[in-house]
Amino acid sequence: MAGRQGRKMTELTVMIIDDDEVSAEIILKMIKTNENVGRIEWYWNGYEALVQIPTLKPDLIFLDYMMPKVDGKEMLSVLNQSRGEINIYMVVVTAYMDRVNEAEFIKLGANEVLAKPVHFEQIGNAIEKARKWKEAR
């Protein structure tokens, strides 16, 4: 797809992993407006998403912290162990934002942490960073 000024845009595959349907829908609506996004998948828990990552090969994941089965920290830990094989831009989206949690998310492999409620500009910035991340690979 042709982008601005005739340059080819990088289409991203995006995963939303959030057990809260309202939060996931809000993020989904924000993502759908971005021309850099080609495919969007939503999973309600970390376990279901972990099973799908090798097949889907997402470029960007918006990851909730508190979820059933496998929470955000557990999921980051698993993905961080596979960083050589799996290169995904990870954004944790959480209502439980404080300096300790933020530092722990980053240590576990998150690229950034956003506090709920997220804003349109934050989602757009994360998508742009993920696009640059993918192009640099």
Side-chain angles (χ1 to χ4, degrees):
M1 134 162 101
R4 291 182 197 114
Q5 301 169 352
R7 69 182 172 98
K8 179 140 173 71
M9 300 300 286
T10 300
E11 282 200 346
L12 302 175
T13 298
V14 178
M15 260 183 150
I16 301 168
I17 308 166
D18 195 330
D19 63 319
D20 180 346
E21 191 171 348
V22 173
S23 292
E25 275 293 321
I26 290 168
I27 294 171
L28 179 66
K29 285 178 183 178
M30 290 181 196
I31 292 171
K32 281 183 174 181
T33 65
N34 193 293
E35 66 183 359
N36 290 311
V37 176
R39 181 175 178 184
I40 307 166
E41 296 287 333
W42 171 58
Y43 297 90
W44 74 277
N45 70 62
Y47 176 78
E48 187 179 276
L50 280 171
V51 170
Q52 293 301 317
I53 285 173
T55 304
L56 185 61
K57 296 183 172 96
D59 302 298
L60 169 61
I61 293 178
F62 288 97
L63 174 65
D64 185 30
Y65 167 38
M66 297 295 288
M67 294 181 295
K69 297 189 181 180
V70 177
D71 71 20
K73 286 183 181 178
E74 292 171 308
M75 188 161 174
L76 282 170
S77 183
V78 169
L79 291 174
N80 197 27
Q81 293 171 13
S82 305
R83 274 290 193 195
E85 305 147 32
I86 299 174
N87 197 358
I88 305 166
Y89 194 87
M90 301 290 300
V91 179
V92 173
V93 181
T94 182
Y96 301 96
M97 178 68 117
D98 61 33
R99 291 181 193 265
V100 173
N101 272 335
E102 183 176 12
E104 190 171 354
F105 291 132
I106 299 297
K107 183 179 176 183
L108 288 171
N111 297 89
E112 60 184 290
V113 183
L114 302 177
K116 288 182 180 179
V118 294
H119 302 283
F120 187 81
E121 184 178 293
Q122 292 173 300
I123 297 296
N125 288 341
I127 291 169
E128 179 61 17
K129 290 175 190 174
R131 184 190 62 78
K132 289 177 180 176
W133 173 280
K134 180 178 181 176
E135 289 176 352
R137 290 193 257 169

